[in-house]
Amino acid sequence: MWDHEIKAMASAHAIIASSIFMATVVPAVLVPGFSVYGAHLLWLYSVSGAVTVASVGVFWLLGVTPPSKKHTLGYKLSRFFRSCLYFILSCLFFHTVVVLYGAPLIEFALETFSLAVLLTSLTTLRCLCVLGPNVQAWIRVFSRHGAMSVWDTCLQITVACTLVGAWVGAFPIPLDWDRPWQVWPVSCSLGAMIGFLTGLVAAPSWIHYHRKQLTYKCK
């Protein structure tokens, strides 16, 4: 029943994963001495930008983004600016949460905000692409039994995997191993990225395996 959407989802995720690969390889070719550890902020923004462009393009081409109820230019511009505002607010929210979890408030502020931008690109941006700037829809999707489509279920899985990955990535930081990937926020961003990529694989796989048991209420 869901085979077509699952195949579209797998293709979309493959394109997004490829964009992450390209955002890592291209700077390594163009920038002398580039490395994920040594030029971590450059890598963070490179990946964030690549995921943003790929996600917006792919979800728009697939028609996953909810259609506008109004077709006026003013409404579309309002929707666009609200999406940008939500993106910025999400960055500030993640920055605050990371600080509350123990990140330095002043020292490494740029690194902390860069991690927040990455987390926003991997989580909030997907919500904007799939659900639009609709907070009520976001609350519904992430509430118990709130999914109304395979894309809602995909959101639940990928966002959860990303956040858990970032959280687990913080564990090695206080250990006295003196490794380059223990520098803030390298392990958290790598954990978020690994979690995100895991979610990209796990979401269509889980949905395909449980497709006969999936039932969604009408929107």
Side-chain angles (χ1 to χ4, degrees):
M1 181 178 179
W2 310 106
D3 286 346
H4 176 72
E5 287 188 276
I6 294 172
K7 289 179 181 178
M9 183 185 300
S11 300
H13 287 185
I15 293 173
I16 294 171
S18 299
S19 73
I20 296 172
F21 174 76
M22 293 301 297
T24 304
V25 172
V26 171
V29 174
L30 299 179
V31 180
F34 172 85
S35 70
V36 173
Y37 301 151
H40 192 65
L41 292 186
L42 175 60
W43 177 78
L44 277 179
Y45 285 107
S46 175
V47 168
S48 298
V51 169
T52 298
V53 172
S55 297
V56 172
V58 165
F59 286 122
W60 180 75
L61 288 174
L62 289 176
V64 176
T65 304
S68 301
K69 295 180 180 179
K70 300 179 182 179
H71 298 285
T72 62
L73 178 61
Y75 180 81
K76 291 180 179 180
L77 287 175
S78 173
R79 186 184 179 91
F80 172 76
F81 285 120
R82 280 191 294 132
S83 297
C84 293
L85 176 62
Y86 286 6
F87 188 94
I88 295 171
L89 291 176
S90 176
C91 292
L92 297 175
F93 170 77
F94 277 122
H95 183 95
T96 303
V97 170
V98 172
V99 169
L100 291 176
Y101 266 89
L105 178 60
I106 304 300
E107 188 180 11
F108 303 121
L110 176 59
E111 287 80 357
T112 302
F113 185 76
S114 300
L115 174 62
V117 172
L118 177 68
L119 292 174
T120 296
S121 301
L122 301 181
T123 59
T124 305
L125 179 69
R126 290 179 67 83
C127 294
L128 289 170
C129 289
V130 175
L131 304 172
N134 185 342
V135 177
Q136 288 77 18
W138 297 11
I139 295 173
R140 169 186 59 77
V141 168
F142 292 102
S143 63
R144 184 178 176 83
H145 305 305
M148 291 186 176
S149 70
V150 293
W151 292 102
D152 290 354
T153 303
C154 174
L155 265 184
Q156 294 173 338
I157 295 173
T158 53
V159 169
C161 287
T162 303
L163 296 180
V164 170
W167 178 66
V168 172
F171 279 44
I173 293 178
L175 301 178
D176 189 19
W177 292 346
D178 196 24
R179 296 290 189 270
W181 49 265
Q182 288 180 277
V183 177
W184 176 254
V186 175
S187 62
C188 287
S189 55
L190 290 179
M193 186 57 59
I194 293 171
F196 178 71
L197 292 172
T198 301
L200 293 183
V201 175
S205 302
W206 188 92
I207 294 170
H208 176 76
Y209 183 77
H210 294 87
R211 66 190 183 283
K212 294 183 179 179
Q213 289 80 36
L214 289 175
T215 56
Y216 294 111
K217 297 178 181 179
C218 296
K219 293 184 179 181

